[in-house]
Amino acid sequence: MNETIKAIIERRTIRDYTDQQISDEQLNILLDSAIWAPSARNKQPLLIRVLQGKDILDKMNFDFKETVGWDTPAYTRYNENPVHHNAPTMIFLFADSENSCAMDAGIMVENIAIAAESIGLGTAIIGSVRELFGGQFADKWYDILDIPKTNPFMIAISVGYKAENPEPKERKENMVKIIK
């Protein structure tokens, strides 16, 4: 099977990671994959920010949980894991102030996810962290990530070495119809 197709089909959401940080080389591969994602009319409307390290990610998780509530089921395994699922790296995508395009963000985050799978890393695409950028700690995190407050958060993705290998989930039947 073609390696690209294999990475697409074998990629799973990972919610348990080792403590090992990804290398700068691996991070650069993911960021290159992100910036080469196609965008509508080649507007390239997204800004990328990366948080690395347990301390800063734990602070982010604390503020997130304070925003949404510690018992709020905002994401899978909310009662066991922080929002970043203990991954040592989290990549955030923000729209530039002129071109808020969720579809471009979806394409870019998928490029990151497939590239990560192809180099042996796991990912979890995370939308719920959006609440952090609209709540009481929004100014703090926009400042930490050096993003103007006029640039809306789009999506994030946790990245790290897999500490689990989940089974594939069943695919829905009748999702595709070919009309000729």
Side-chain angles (χ1 to χ4, degrees):
M1 179 183 299
N2 172 292
E3 290 301 312
T4 303
I5 302 302
K6 184 178 178 194
I8 292 169
I9 292 172
E10 292 184 358
R11 188 227 164 246
R12 306 281 176 265
T13 297
I14 302 299
R15 295 186 179 93
D16 191 17
Y17 296 87
T18 71
D19 293 335
Q20 182 181 355
Q21 184 57 267
I22 68 172
S23 70
D24 288 345
E25 179 183 3
Q26 290 168 319
L27 179 60
N28 288 332
I29 289 168
L30 300 181
L31 296 175
D32 283 346
S33 297
I35 65 171
W36 281 99
S39 62
R41 302 181 79 193
N42 196 31
K43 294 242 181 186
Q44 301 176 41
L46 298 162
L47 302 172
I48 304 166
R49 295 297 186 267
V50 180
L51 282 182
Q52 288 190 303
K54 182 172 175 31
D55 289 344
I56 191 72
L57 288 166
D58 285 348
K59 288 175 186 172
M60 182 216 46
N61 181 66
F62 182 86
D63 289 351
F64 172 77
K65 292 282 197 161
E66 286 290 308
T67 300
V68 301
W70 288 85
D71 294 328
T72 301
Y75 57 92
T76 304
R77 296 190 197 166
Y78 72 94
N79 56 336
E80 301 170 28
N81 285 349
V83 69
H84 59 92
H85 298 289
N86 291 312
T89 296
M90 193 161 179
I91 301 170
F92 297 81
L93 305 182
F94 293 85
D96 69 22
S97 56
E98 299 172 14
N99 300 302
S100 178
C101 185
M103 201 169 304
D104 291 335
I107 294 166
M108 184 179 278
V109 80
E110 181 69 3
N111 268 24
I112 296 168
I114 299 307
E117 179 67 28
S118 76
I119 58 174
L121 299 173
T123 57
I125 297 171
I126 301 170
S128 60
V129 76
R130 164 185 313 279
E131 300 303 321
L132 185 63
F133 299 98
Q136 62 183 324
F137 301 104
D139 289 349
K140 172 184 174 181
W141 287 97
Y142 272 106
D143 288 344
I144 287 171
L145 292 169
D146 193 26
I147 290 284
K149 293 162 189 69
T150 55
N151 296 56
F153 167 83
M154 300 307 294
I155 199 155
I157 184 168
S158 291
V159 183
Y161 287 95
K162 302 172 191 178
E164 68 176 359
N165 187 18
E167 291 294 320
K169 298 207 165 111
E170 287 187 33
R171 301 287 100 183
K172 291 180 182 178
E173 292 184 27
N174 302 316
M175 288 178 58
V176 176
K177 182 178 237 180
I178 300 172
I179 300 160
K180 295 184 179 186

